[in-house]
């Protein structure tokens, strides 16, 4: 197996974020970009959220939910790590698919580190090889293999996966800068992962102010939260047919300063009239649930009470129509 470098600290107590970030800065400050790649549902968004310590990327247990390049920002005394969360790379079947893949390749060429997420509980498949081949063609950027969801497997399965990943790199003619097993859900080795990425970043001052967690415009993040809630009960029926656009956000007039209210008007777009009933649900119950769930998350994000007005609209075959893709923000 040669000099395969696997970082595993399972013998030590799980290191949470606090210890890692609280370390005193030693040496020069570093700042740069990393992106997590991997098959849809490989745990990229969950890992982004665990590193940043707050929900910034949409996570739903079905593929292809992240469409915008959401950046999570990890602030540390010694470094600032900006996480670029690209959509999953896949074989495109629609114009939207091709556009997503172009975004992915452009992003990979511009970051300082690429983290390839591979779930511990699934054997390497054709999708992983497809992405690894693409990675092999990007010569200069250091690549870290991140074995996610380690809380779901025993140590023997994990060891086999680590060996398989090491071999995958060798077959394609490159070496992983690191191979790191993590569990974002159990907060195992997440801090260690950040510690291993930081030395690969260029030296330089912080690129974002201390308080920033993401540079996504609020409207995009709100649309993503609504979309995530809308997908919750209908993922089998409408996995990719839902887009959300926040039409306007206005502070309610005539409210006392200590009791503000933000009015948010948003449209949930679907592709066909027959899908309308699925999203709205019997007697409007599902849409109401979507409103309640997403409103709570939006209020947590913005720190202010919100009145959320949701309407469902049909945008015929929007995934295949360049004009509609532009209108819906792609």
């Amino acid at each position: 197996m040669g000099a395969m470098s696997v970082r595993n600290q399972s013998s030590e107590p799980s290191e949470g974020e606090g210890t890692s970030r609280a370390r005193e800065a030693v040496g020069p400050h570093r700042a740069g970009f990393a992106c997590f790649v991997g098959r849809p549902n490989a745990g990229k968004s969950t890992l982004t959220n665990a590193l940043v310590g707050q929900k910034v990327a949409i996570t739903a247990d079905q593929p292809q939910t992240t469409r915008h390049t959401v950046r999570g920002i990890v602030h540390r005394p010694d470094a600032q790590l900006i996480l670029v969360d690209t959509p999953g790379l896949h074989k495109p079947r629609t114009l939207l698919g091709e556009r997503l893949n172009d975004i992915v390749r452009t992003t990979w060429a511009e970051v300082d580190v690429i983290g390839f997420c591979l779930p511990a509980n699934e054997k390497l498949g054709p999708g992983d090889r497809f992405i690894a081949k693409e990675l092999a063609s990007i010569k200069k950027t250091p690549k870290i293999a991140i074995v996610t969801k380690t809380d779901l497997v025993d140590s023997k399965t994990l060891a086999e996966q680590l060996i398989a990943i090491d071999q995958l790199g060798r077959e394609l003619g490159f070496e992983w800068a690191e191979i790191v097993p993590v569990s974002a859900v159990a907060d195992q080795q997440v801090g260690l992962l950040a510690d291993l990425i930081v030395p690969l970043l260029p030296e330089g001052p912080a690129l974002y102010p201390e308080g920033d967690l993401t540079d996504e415009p609020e409207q995009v993040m709100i649309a993503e939260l609504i979309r995530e809630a809308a997908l919750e009960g209908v993922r089998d029926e409408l996995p990719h047919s839902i887009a959300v656009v926040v039409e306007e956000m206005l502070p309610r007039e005539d409210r006392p300063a200590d009791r503000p209210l933000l009015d948010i008007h948003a449209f949930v777009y679907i592709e066909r009239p027959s899908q309308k009933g699925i999203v709205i649900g019997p007697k409007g119950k599902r849409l109401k649930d979507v409103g309640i769930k997403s409103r709570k998350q939006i209020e947590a994000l913005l720190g202010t009470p919100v009145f959320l007005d949701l309407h469902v609209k049909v945008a015929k075959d929007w995934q295949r129509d360049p004009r509609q893709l532009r209108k819906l923000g792609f």
Side-chain angles (χ1 to χ4, degrees):
M1 235 174 75
M4 167 175 143
S5 142
V6 174
R7 299 302 189 117
N8 200 346
Q9 290 188 333
S10 51
S11 56
E12 296 179 17
S14 152
E15 177 185 316
E17 281 311 283
T19 47
S20 177
R21 271 188 210 163
R23 288 194 188 135
E24 285 310 303
V26 187
H29 187 277
R30 294 175 181 274
F33 294 83
C35 79
F36 295 147
V37 306
R39 274 184 294 128
N41 209 18
K44 304 182 289 289
S45 296
T46 311
L47 189 56
T48 299
N49 294 337
L51 278 162
V52 175
Q54 179 167 334
K55 185 166 184 170
V56 289
I58 174 174
T59 56
D61 55 1
Q62 97 222 19
Q64 278 174 31
T65 43
T66 311
R67 290 206 171 137
H68 296 276
T69 303
V70 177
R71 296 176 176 84
I73 303 166
V74 183
H75 299 276
R76 298 165 40 123
D78 58 337
Q80 188 177 69
L81 168 61
I82 298 130
L83 301 167
V84 188
D85 193 13
T86 57
L89 189 85
H90 54 98
K91 295 187 170 132
R93 284 189 300 277
T94 61
L95 183 61
L96 174 64
E98 284 172 32
R99 254 187 219 180
L100 293 179
N101 283 354
D102 291 344
I103 293 170
V104 173
R105 292 197 182 87
T106 312
T107 305
W108 291 4
E110 292 168 354
V111 297
D112 302 299
V113 184
I114 300 172
F116 185 14
C117 295
L118 299 130
N121 61 334
E122 294 173 35
K123 283 200 162 23
L124 298 186
D128 298 315
R129 286 176 193 284
F130 175 67
I131 294 169
K133 266 197 188 126
E134 295 278 335
L135 285 180
S137 66
I138 296 166
K139 298 280 186 248
K140 290 195 175 74
T141 316
K143 296 168 256 309
I144 293 181
I146 305 166
V147 187
T148 59
K149 309 186 185 187
T150 55
D151 53 303
L152 301 179
V153 297
D154 59 23
S155 54
K156 180 175 178 285
T157 310
L158 179 57
E160 285 165 2
Q161 185 75 322
L162 294 171
I163 291 165
I165 290 167
D166 182 51
Q167 284 171 345
L168 177 64
R170 286 167 197 273
E171 274 167 37
L172 295 170
F174 69 87
E175 197 167 334
W176 301 107
E178 305 278 357
I179 300 177
V180 194
V182 302
S183 166
V185 174
D187 193 22
Q188 287 169 338
Q189 306 223 128
V190 174
L192 172 71
L193 174 63
D195 292 344
L196 296 174
I197 293 173
V198 164
L200 302 172
L201 302 177
E203 291 179 16
L207 303 167
Y208 287 86
E210 176 69 44
D212 286 8
L213 290 169
T214 170
D215 73 349
E216 276 292 275
E218 282 174 347
Q219 269 166 277
V220 174
M221 291 182 73
I222 289 164
E224 291 283 272
L225 289 171
I226 296 168
R227 185 165 177 269
E228 182 181 31
L231 280 168
E232 195 112 306
V234 300
R235 55 179 54 92
D236 299 335
E237 298 154 280
L238 316 174
H240 316 135
S241 305
I242 295 179
V244 175
V245 174
V246 174
E247 289 289 321
E248 59 176 16
M249 292 167 50
L250 296 167
R252 177 83 57 94
E253 288 176 19
D254 324 323
R255 296 281 293 195
D258 58 340
R259 289 184 49 237
L261 182 68
L262 188 65
D263 284 317
I264 297 178
H265 300 278
F267 288 107
V268 177
Y269 286 96
I270 47 180
E271 292 195 295
R272 289 187 288 286
S274 60
Q275 298 170 338
K276 210 165 179 175
I278 300 173
V279 175
I280 293 171
K283 295 189 177 162
K285 182 174 182 320
R286 180 167 278 146
L287 190 63
K288 192 177 172 194
D289 291 347
V290 169
I292 292 167
K293 183 169 189 224
S294 53
R295 183 175 54 82
K296 280 187 188 145
Q297 298 202 327
I298 294 164
E299 288 180 339
L301 175 75
L302 301 178
T304 181
V306 162
F307 172 80
L308 181 60
D309 177 40
L310 287 182
H311 292 277
V312 179
K313 274 191 167 182
V314 179
K316 202 165 161 359
D317 291 332
W318 63 265
Q319 295 197 51
R320 298 175 188 280
D321 177 346
R323 201 173 51 82
Q324 302 220 57
L325 281 171
R326 269 197 304 280
K327 185 183 166 201
L328 298 174
F330 301 113

